[in-house]
Amino acid sequence: MHRRFALALICAVSLTACNGYFGSSEGDGGDGGGGGGDNSDAQGIWTGTVTSDILSLHMLVTPTNELWAMSWNESFSQVRRLTRGTGSLNGRAYSGTGTTFGTGDTTAENADITGTVTSASTFDGNLGQNVTFTSQFDGVYDQPFDLAAYAGNWVGRDSASASGVNFTIQSNGNFEARMTVSGRPDTCNVSGAVAESASGKNYATTTFSFGNATNCLSQHAGTSMQGVAILLTPRDEPPLLLMMATNNDQTAAWFAYARKQQ
């Protein structure tokens, strides 16, 4: 007891750090791996893989911890899954709930989202339905937003059609998309716009609506959707556009990737 009192007195007089005796800041509740202390920051654009079925993954977490994640495989010309959710952080631990959508005219499923985040570095976890992933922070998230870079013609794959989707985006962000849905007599048309998000980060918000029931999937026909768009410029590859959206009550979704045509 006398030794501890003496050490405490020395610390008070000399203003030196005595953490080696009384315990480090990490041991007293600092951010040492997920509980207590300051939270990590999950916001960002995250690029990685779905380890449970070897797909590419791109994920956006906004400053309010809203999460949008899309898995896809360009080599096989397919998009697989969209997860939209919201969550919170406790230290480095992210947890939340959301909805998962598959391709085609599918039913939405509930998703429990968990993960471990190191700010602006790594985000690994589970998107629900045993869909595990690893990802790394993409610095494009902090670059200035450039609406003009979205303008042009884009060709890719979406969650509704069997033969792909074509986008035409104007310099003001207005766009038209066209796709052919299996068993439908003509093209399903989508019209909408992308715009800078209010967050000031480098992603877009998007709103759009589908054409009639004759040519679009039944869950999409005449429906309006809202979501996000991400523009990436990988080295030695054409720019990549990712579009993710749901209707208001999150019972239906549409998501796509497309490459810019030079």
Side-chain angles (χ1 to χ4, degrees), residues 62-129:
T62 72
T64 57
N65 280 323
E66 182 177 16
L67 179 148
W68 297 83
M70 188 178 96
S71 60
W72 55 291
N73 189 313
E74 190 170 13
S75 297
F76 292 98
S77 298
Q78 64 178 224
V79 292
R80 180 70 62 84
R81 186 182 294 106
L82 168 69
T83 301
R84 178 183 179 181
T86 56
S88 60
L89 279 162
N90 179 17
R92 294 177 58 221
Y94 183 97
S95 62
T97 58
T99 308
T100 293
F101 306 86
T103 57
D105 206 352
T106 58
T107 302
E109 297 181 287
N110 293 331
D112 293 321
I113 305 166
T114 58
T116 302
V117 183
T118 300
S119 302
S121 180
T122 60
F123 189 169
D124 304 333
N126 194 315
L127 293 172
Q129 313 298 328

Side-chain angles (χ1 to χ4, degrees), residues 1-11 18 20-22:
M1 176 66 72
H2 295 298
R3 181 171 178 269
R4 289 181 63 88
F5 178 79
L7 282 172
L9 182 62
I10 292 171
C11 290
C18 295
Y21 183 79
F22 292 108

Side-chain angles (χ1 to χ4, degrees), residues 4-262:
R4 289 181 63 88
F5 178 79
L7 282 172
L9 182 62
I10 292 171
C11 290
V13 172
S14 67
L15 299 180
T16 58
C18 295
N19 280 341
Y21 183 79
F22 292 108
S24 68
S25 59
E26 287 80 8
D28 291 334
D31 183 16
D38 295 334
N39 288 342
S40 282
D41 193 349
Q43 69 169 306
I45 293 172
W46 303 89
T47 300
T49 57
V50 176
T51 56
S52 52
D53 50 11
I54 317 300
L55 296 166
S56 297
L57 175 82
H58 280 86
M59 184 167 64
L60 168 69
V61 181
T62 72
T64 57
N65 280 323
E66 182 177 16
L67 179 148
W68 297 83
M70 188 178 96
S71 60
W72 55 291
N73 189 313
E74 190 170 13
S75 297
F76 292 98
S77 298
Q78 64 178 224
V79 292
R80 180 70 62 84
R81 186 182 294 106
L82 168 69
T83 301
R84 178 183 179 181
T86 56
S88 60
L89 279 162
N90 179 17
R92 294 177 58 221
Y94 183 97
S95 62
T97 58
T99 308
T100 293
F101 306 86
T103 57
D105 206 352
T106 58
T107 302
E109 297 181 287
N110 293 331
D112 293 321
I113 305 166
T114 58
T116 302
V117 183
T118 300
S119 302
S121 180
T122 60
F123 189 169
D124 304 333
N126 194 315
L127 293 172
Q129 313 298 328
N130 294 317
V131 179
T132 56
F133 70 92
T134 62
S135 66
Q136 299 79 43
F137 181 82
D138 192 325
V140 70
Y141 179 74
D142 291 322
Q143 294 177 5
F145 179 82
D146 182 10
L147 181 61
Y150 285 75
N153 296 317
W154 302 79
V155 175
R157 289 284 173 169
D158 70 288
S159 58
S161 69
S163 59
V165 62
N166 292 270
F167 288 92
T168 301
I169 304 179
Q170 307 299 327
S171 58
N172 63 359
N174 292 341
F175 74 84
E176 301 285 337
R178 301 164 301 283
M179 70 203 80
T180 301
V181 177
S182 179
R184 302 301 198 269
D186 207 344
T187 302
C188 175
N189 295 315
V190 178
S191 59
V194 294
E196 182 175 4
S197 75
S199 71
K201 293 299 184 177
N202 190 21
Y203 64 92
T205 57
T206 181
T207 57
F208 54 83
S209 58
F210 289 85
N212 61 48
T214 302
N215 299 314
C216 301
L217 286 179
S218 58
Q219 67 175 349
H220 293 158
T223 299
S224 295
M225 291 193 177
Q226 307 80 38
V228 296
I230 301 170
L231 178 59
L232 303 172
T233 53
R235 183 177 297 177
D236 300 325
E237 295 181 30
L240 173 66
L241 174 68
L242 304 172
M243 187 87 73
M244 298 173 272
T246 72
N247 59 356
N248 280 333
D249 56 6
Q250 296 189 40
T251 57
W254 186 72
F255 44 106
Y257 75 83
R259 294 284 185 180
K260 194 170 189 177
Q261 305 301 289
Q262 304 298 330

